[in-house]
Amino acid sequence: MLESSKDSAKLDAMKRIVGMIAKGKNASELFPAVVKNVASKNIEIKKLVYVYLMRYAEEQQDLALLSISTFQRALKDPNQLIRASALRVLSSIRVPIIVPIMMLAIKEASSDLSPYVRKNAAHAIQKLYSLDPEQKEMLIEVIEKLLKDRSTLVAGSVVMAFEEVCPDRIDLIHKNYRKLCNLLVDVEEWGQVVIIHMLTRYARTQFVSPWKTDDDVVEEYNENNFYESDGEQKEKDRNVKKTYTMDPDHRLLLRNTKPLLQSRNAAVVMAVAQLYWHLAPKSEAGIVSKSLVRLLRSNREVQYIVLQNIATMSIQRKGMFEPYLKSFYVRSTDPTMIKTLKLEILTNLANEANISTLLREFQTYVKSQDKQFAAATIQAIGRCATNITEVTDTCLNGLVCLLSNRDETVVAESVVVIKKLLQTQPAHHGEIIKHMAKLLDNITVPVARASILWLIGEYCERVPKIAPDVLRKTAKSFTNEDDLVKLQILNLGAKLYLTNSKQTKLLTQYVLNLGKYDQSYDIRDRTRFIRQLIVPNEKSGALSKYAKKIFLAQKPAPLLESPFKDRDHFQLGTLSHTLNSRATGYLELSDWPDVAPDPAVRNVEVAESAKEWTAILGKTKKEKPTEKFYSESEEEEDESASTGATESESGSESEKEDKEEGSSDESSGSSSSSEESSDSESDSKESTAKKTSGAVKESNAEESKKKAKGISKNRNTSSSSDTESSSSEGSSSDSKSVSDSRSDSDSGKSGSATSSKKEEKTAQDRKTPSKQDVFLLDLDDFYPVTTPVAVPTAAVLSPSLTADLEGLSLSGSSVIDVTTQVFVPTKTHEMLHRMTGKGLSAHYHFSRQPDMFGDHMVPVQVTVTNTTDQKIENIHIGEKKLPLGMRIHEFNPIECLEPGGSVTVSMGIDFCDSTQTASFQLCTKDDHFNVNIQPPVGELLLPVTMSEKDFKKEQGMLTGMNETSATIAVAPQNSTSLVIIEKVVKAANLGVVPSGQDNIHRFAAKTVHSGSLMLVTVELKESSTAQLIINTEKTVIGSVLLRELKPVLSQG
Amino acid sequence: MLMRCGPGCHCPSPSPSNLIPKRVTSKESCQATDGKHRQSQKMIHSLFLINCSGDIFLEKHWKSVVSQSVCDYFFEAQEKAIDVENVPPVISTPHHYLISIYRDKIFFVSVIQTEVPPLFVIEFLHRVADTFQDYFGECSETAIKDNVVIVYELLEEMLDNGFPLATESNILKELIKPPTILRSVVNSITGSSNVGDTLPTGQLSNIPWRRAGVKYTNNEAYFDVIEEIDAIIDKSGSTVFAEIQGVIDSCIKLSGMPDLSLSFMNPRLLDDVSFHPCIRFKRWESERVLSFIPPDGNFRLISYRVSSQNLVAIPVYVKHMISFKENSSSGRFDVTIGPKQNMGKTVEGVVMTVHMPKAVLNMNLTATQGSYTFDPVTKVLTWDVGKITPQKLPNLKGIVNLQSGAPKPEENPSLNIQFKIQQLAISGLKVNRLDMYGEKYKPFKGVKYITKAGKFQVRT
């Protein structure tokens, strides 16, 4: 049929062949006939041929080569689906000869425009690697390239390839670390799991442990008093521990993984849980427990794995799961393996407070029909009894009651547990032993019998009358006993012989004789050994004198421990952990480093752009940029200084020295969340006054190091704390950190004369504090609403840093990415005056929060205030009078507004890229008012980041008609870069583009509705004039924007 | 006890041949013995589907072929476990690891060679089973055998080199069209295929769960708020443990790219929530509003747990008297179910199942309402009660016959109760409103509430 000319017949044939493959039957003879059809036009036939090829190509290598050319052709196909599937099949054919072809195909595909093809390329890497490990070096190059890819589609697959090919090349991750963290939320779920596991390992090598502080706090406190006048070395050590601050990158990882706990995919939740377990400070790890408990509602298999992990966790940190104790209660319908795991966890969680409820619960379990489970429960009771001394007696009594149980396994288990318990409580338990001796007649389970015999032997002095009798009985049945029991009979005999030889001498010898001829060599050996020891004869050595000591020594009580005790050295959530043995390919989780490796490796790009930045500002660099990287080899001072220069620094070193200097610098936080400004301030103090507002990071070189030591230390802490705060809060952080910094600086004021100066500067650099306050209020209602990848930035933060932190678009190939706002305007506009609104007033402002209501909406925040003395109810948007195409995303109606109260709500308006007013009615319960919102043109934009190169390229395409320009006079106070940038971004929602020339400033944005690019260039000329150029397809908006920007720059 | 192959051999070593000799064919077991498998191979290597009687009826390999004989380890474990429920999900063999799930009377056994998060595999296997369910309406052996080609195509798309590729049902449906009778007729006449030839748009966009160009004449959005009560009630009728777990299942048939936002009257009730990937997490965090662009068709929007501070109202009570007489081969059984705190709604669909002790031979009962069955093999008593009317409480009463000579069962069996209450979310959760943006038409919206018993157990 395969030879048939009809597609339908071929298809039918192929379907049958696939059916054969599926059943595991051999269909390899058909290879030649099938392979011919690889070039079939019918896509379904093609797919089935692919299936066949992947299965049999390895066996028929020569014939498989026939198909290669088809794939090579398909790799050039314009359809990305075909390109991708060709690559998939090509790489799945495990024929060593085609390795070079595969390599070439992978290289090409890795720079394909379609992220889907790139994803497949990442998969192909693993396949090629498993086919020919020699290609490793080349493949690593490709991986390196793909790691830089910004598409969420690719990220998961390439990390997978990384894990497979070169998991030890951690250096490849550095530069991509932040990107991966930020992308994580949008990666598909399987990729998330892989990335999280990889990042866990990464973080363990790169950050210092957050756990030390938890344990050492108290101890250090005391130390402080003792070593006041001691040498520096000790103080240093102490300070390292004491002033642990989490690396902002470490924090970034924790923050970005947290939302994933809400994932519907159990594997993702577990991955995050293990990440928190291994990386988070102990106080924070608790948040994962809720999600893990949620997973217990899932399938049996998921439950099994999750419970295992919880069991390990609950041994070390009981507190995490204590609130969920009842979730682990066992149901009679659970499978046994789930029951035992739950029991294990319950036992781990037992403490004085809950033990009584737990024991009641256990009582139910003991009666369970599932005997295996009942036995496990008895052991659990035993463990509780040893761990919690208060209940030992209760448990023991309970167990003794169980001895009268009808079920043999239950009784046997109880005996064993009682034996262990008695051993830990070697007090007066003669009664119990007597009781157990009686039981010996009925119990047949060997372990239980052996345990009883051992007990009697061990405590034979407490039951002098019974013990010989027991020996007599067992001697009778010796030959029929299990090996285990026989050994104990021998032991019992020996012990009795030593303590009570009068009564038992003959009996013991009888038993020993029986043992001498036993079938088991173990027993014969033991018999011989015991005889030599206890029976005195001429040959017996010195040992027999000590026989009594040997046999009747105090034995240490056994520890009843959890079987999960030793699992914690495996990373949670891994196969190795589940099996409790090393699986092949398990990657060890390293211990925390004592000193964090230089975190600067993660922000090389930033450092480079910082260079650019200084260039813009026209400040001379004092040293070559390479000197920044001396840090490792040079003195610690240098390290702290240089690392402080780079953007995000905490590092114990800097902290350590900080303390060493003894400068109580609360003022550290006083700089704004923008490091640029903080840098500039300290610089101005530190060297000369000519740097008024420069941000020369490299300037803290050796020469200024000495005299500015203290200050530079300040700066280090400030930058670290700043970045932390700025990156840790949602979009509101820039307003928040301002408030933080203000309070901080207040405290620091008295300390240093300069701090007040700083404060002024801060205020000047940003907005006035009072304004900020108002703004802060607004944002409070609202703050975490941002795009998932958004990390806030301060007003004048380096644009490329912005790009690095958050310029990560969801879709792949584009280099132009929407970012968050660079600046949030505080100016509010009146919508409804309280006079016209009969006491209801409304103001609005543009929050510049991207992506809140969908793509085309401009977000607007409306603050409604009730100035009447009555409640106003049901405030909502009524009839809308909108120009064509314009849309409004209404805010949720406000049910009730108290007198004097005010509420901020957010709405979205799609202005269709026009400055036409949106008119609508603002309705209350019994009134309605017509209101308008007219957007300034600057609010119709979304900032984007792009490189200078891209900017120029785009600009080149938007010349002629699309360009508008004007020459303007620039007020002298506006001629510095910072001021220009600040003013422009204030006037319009533009993103800053890094610029190589310091007299040219570039800004980029796209329009909210149509997404057209809007490029703004400000070129400073001689004699305080400037050329303002705007390139955009939307010429109308362009010219309006030009008109609006002109006064901004020319006025003071 | 198990023999190992020589060093470097990565074939699954044949299990003790005296156990299951027929499955070990030496030819197959050493296929993968070329030395090139030195280094690790990640993720899922092969998949075997095994039915209850132990036949491997489908196998699929994503890398080199692994012989069926590897499943012998699985059979061994299965034998040891006695009950299917107790087969350990993770089994270690000398060269491979087997991770299995049990769904709809089929074992999905995957072969793994190296370290991998076991949940990753388990979750994926369940996703595979879900997809089969979605495509064929049921995930049964016959359905899979009948559609073996589609199954193969699906598996091929879902996993590449052992790493999941496309698992969203919307994407898969664009790549491979689900079988319908109509289509198979059309296909056989026109010769067209049921394989899509364009890349699904969703795969590339940042909303991979929705396909483009959806069109409906009736635009509808339905939400089912389903809450389940998990509870353990002890002998005396007091609640040992109770918890409400809920889900919102949606059926959304809306054209274009609708952007929905669903708000609740009392979102604070939701304690722990897990989301479908379409939901904007930040929006929930800040405003407690579910804002999302929905997938097309049926899907689970969220699942949640109601915060444990709230006391759970238990809608039924059970009075029971079960006793076994000492030294006689009979016992008494008397159970009454009654409604309690159900907010004026009727409790329906009440079913009680009891796993009786092994010693029980037979039961002679009379039910005042509904019907009962007792399966003497599995010892499961099922009583289908139906609706409970407070006027006349349903009761099941009679004699239990025990095996003569067997000791009296020391534990009374626990009763598993199922029930359903329409138009009530027991936690009090209420949907406030649903808004749609992004499209112009007016959709038809509907919300339905159901309360069910989850794992509801009464100890006796």
Side-chain angles (χ1 to χ4, degrees), chain A residues 734-761:
Chain A
D734 58 351
S735 55
K736 276 216 164 153
S737 57
V738 166
S739 63
D740 289 350
S741 62
R742 267 192 295 117
S743 59
D744 281 346
S745 59
D746 285 345
S747 58
K749 211 185 276 176
S750 56
S752 65
T754 46
S755 65
S756 62
K757 194 167 129 202
K758 267 189 188 176
E759 207 181 336
E760 277 170 31
K761 276 208 160 237

Side-chain angles (χ1 to χ4, degrees), chain B residues 65-140:
Chain B
V65 178
V66 177
S67 145
Q68 289 197 349
S69 59
V70 78
C71 293
D72 294 345
Y73 294 102
F74 177 78
F75 294 126
E76 206 180 304
Q78 194 183 359
E79 225 159 89
K80 215 184 286 170
I82 306 160
D83 192 11
V84 280
E85 289 274 273
N86 273 322
V87 179
V90 184
I91 300 168
S92 170
T93 76
H95 296 289
H96 299 93
Y97 305 97
L98 303 178
I99 298 186
S100 62
I101 63 160
Y102 181 66
R103 275 275 292 257
D104 304 307
K105 300 192 174 147
I106 301 173
F107 282 104
F108 291 69
V109 182
S110 62
V111 182
I112 313 289
Q113 267 193 339
T114 52
E115 173 61 51
V116 60
L119 271 183
F120 186 100
V121 182
I122 289 170
E123 188 76 24
F124 176 79
L125 292 177
H126 276 295
R127 213 57 78 78
V128 170
D130 289 343
T131 311
F132 289 166
Q133 178 94 35
D134 195 21
Y135 264 73
F136 314 128
E138 51 166 359
C139 178
S140 67

Side-chain angles (χ1 to χ4, degrees), chain A residues 859-1017:
Chain A
V860 183
Q861 286 201 0
V862 181
T863 311
V864 194
T865 315
N866 182 0
T867 57
T868 62
D869 44 12
Q870 266 132 31
K871 277 188 194 172
I872 300 180
E873 288 181 317
N874 191 21
I875 303 169
H876 63 278
I877 290 182
E879 196 186 324
K880 292 169 253 184
K881 274 173 265 162
L882 303 174
L884 190 70
M886 212 181 259
R887 291 175 305 135
I888 289 189
H889 180 140
E890 296 173 22
F891 54 78
N892 294 333
I894 302 164
E895 275 170 32
C896 175
L897 193 58
E898 296 293 326
S902 91
V903 166
T904 302
V905 290
S906 51
M907 56 190 287
I909 304 176
D910 180 359
F911 288 107
C912 290
D913 290 350
S914 77
T915 49
Q916 282 173 303
T917 39
S919 317
F920 53 87
Q921 286 187 328
L922 191 63
C923 302
T924 62
K925 196 176 145 205
D926 29 40
D927 225 330
H928 50 82
F929 314 99
N930 289 323
V931 292
N932 300 320
I933 291 183
Q934 181 168 28
V937 66
E939 303 301 338
L940 297 176
L941 303 173
L942 274 179
V944 297
T945 52
M946 55 169 79
S947 68
E948 197 179 355
K949 211 175 94 200
D950 292 322
F951 185 91
K952 283 182 178 158
K953 202 173 88 195
E954 295 289 349
Q955 198 178 26
M957 288 194 275
L958 293 168
T959 51
M961 282 259 302
N962 295 329
E963 187 171 288
T964 47
S965 66
T967 309
I968 45 169
V970 177
Q973 70 269 36
N974 287 357
S975 57
T976 57
S977 310
L978 280 177
V979 179
I980 288 180
I981 292 171
E982 195 201 315
K983 291 222 163 190
V984 172
V985 295
K986 203 167 172 179
N989 197 5
L990 294 165
V992 186
V993 175
S995 166
Q997 297 132 289
D998 49 20
N999 57 341
I1000 300 180
H1001 305 288
R1002 297 189 172 89
F1003 306 90
K1006 63 177 195 180
T1007 55
V1008 175
H1009 182 83
S1010 61
S1012 323
L1013 274 181
M1014 176 77 64
L1015 307 173
V1016 179
T1017 318

Side-chain angles (χ1 to χ4, degrees), chain A residues 685-838:
Chain A
K685 283 178 284 165
E686 146 195 339
S687 42
T688 43
K690 66 183 166 190
K691 285 186 221 156
T692 41
S693 63
V696 186
K697 295 178 170 188
E698 288 81 1
S699 66
N700 39 29
E702 288 119 83
E703 50 148 338
S704 60
K705 180 176 69 196
K706 294 271 153 55
K707 62 177 168 184
K709 215 173 187 178
I711 298 163
S712 69
K713 298 314 166 320
N714 288 358
R715 210 174 50 204
N716 285 324
T717 30
S718 76
S719 60
S720 66
S721 60
D722 281 341
T723 31
E724 178 136 7
S725 70
S726 77
S727 52
S728 66
E729 310 289 344
S731 65
S732 73
S733 81
D734 58 351
S735 55
K736 276 216 164 153
S737 57
V738 166
S739 63
D740 289 350
S741 62
R742 267 192 295 117
S743 59
D744 281 346
S745 59
D746 285 345
S747 58
K749 211 185 276 176
S750 56
S752 65
T754 46
S755 65
S756 62
K757 194 167 129 202
K758 267 189 188 176
E759 207 181 336
E760 277 170 31
K761 276 208 160 237
T762 322
Q764 190 193 15
D765 261 1
R766 325 194 82 244
K767 310 106 223 164
T768 58
S770 61
K771 237 183 179 176
Q772 272 297 330
D773 270 346
V774 173
F775 186 39
L776 218 149
L777 277 177
D778 286 355
L779 275 178
D780 263 331
D781 291 331
F782 198 62
Y783 84 88
V785 187
T786 50
T787 47
V789 289
V791 174
T793 49
V796 278
L797 189 50
S798 151
S800 46
L801 170 62
T802 321
D804 188 62
L805 285 175
E806 86 239 5
L808 305 155
S809 78
L810 308 176
S811 63
S813 52
S814 149
V815 278
I816 302 161
D817 302 317
V818 177
T819 57
T820 43
Q821 74 287 356
V822 181
F823 174 84
V824 180
T826 51
K827 191 182 172 195
T828 58
H829 311 266
E830 186 167 72
M831 189 156 83
L832 182 65
H833 192 264
R834 68 183 165 87
M835 298 311 283
T836 46
K838 298 179 188 167

